[in-house]
Amino acid sequence: QVQLVESGGGLVQAGGSLRLSCAASGRTVSSYTMGWFRQAPGKEREFVATINWISNTYYADSVKGRFTISRDNAKNTVYLQMNSLKPEDTAVYYCVVRTGYRDSYYYTRRNDYDYWGQGTQVTVSS
């Protein structure tokens, strides 16, 4: 079992920045792929970013160049730095982990991930 707890969400004006954190417990996640998804009201949950065990990253086109995913294996934590935020970034953001050992592929589908956090709300005002 892996427990994921997100933090760092909140209300920010357009153009601003937020940094989300996701602390994992129950198992060391340094060898696993982790990522972020988001779900806006009335919309499907969508892929945002992923980072594999050697810290290679992949992003959705909608956030590329504005968001940065990173990980601190010593803290068992993954981060999402969000810059130049737009009102369309408003959503609940979910941290995810895929428990495939040292897998270097990029995973973007919801079903690719085994564990999910409870989500943190990000609201961007115009």
Side-chain angles (χ1 to χ4, degrees):
Q1 280 285 75
V2 178
Q3 292 78 42
L4 302 171
V5 178
E6 302 99 333
S7 60
L11 174 64
V12 64
Q13 288 188 331
S17 298
L18 281 175
R19 187 195 196 203
L20 305 183
S21 299
C22 172
S25 61
R27 200 187 297 184
T28 299
V29 296
S30 59
S31 297
Y32 299 152
T33 294
M34 300 191 73
W36 292 91
F37 281 71
R38 67 185 181 185
Q39 187 167 20
K43 293 189 175 181
E44 293 286 319
R45 196 168 296 189
E46 64 176 5
F47 167 78
V48 175
T50 185
I51 184 167
N52 66 14
W53 71 284
I54 50 175
S55 293
N56 291 331
T57 59
Y58 184 78
Y59 298 92
D61 287 343
S62 58
V63 306
K64 201 173 296 182
R66 299 188 298 121
F67 291 11
T68 302
I69 187 171
S70 61
R71 65 193 303 162
D72 185 336
N73 290 331
K75 295 182 179 180
N76 228 29
T77 298
V78 66
Y79 304 98
L80 187 68
Q81 178 66 44
M82 306 185 294
N83 298 329
S84 302
L85 282 161
K86 304 175 182 180
E88 50 263 44
D89 295 317
T90 295
V92 177
Y93 283 71
Y94 297 90
C95 176
V96 295
V97 63
R98 174 183 170 90
T99 56
Y101 184 72
R102 293 189 175 180
D103 192 340
S104 298
Y105 189 74
Y106 298 124
Y107 293 95
T108 63
R109 300 178 305 170
R110 289 178 294 177
N111 290 344
D112 291 331
Y113 292 89
D114 303 301
Y115 295 98
W116 292 70
Q118 83 288 348
T120 186
Q121 177 71 46
V122 172
T123 303
V124 184
S125 63
S126 56

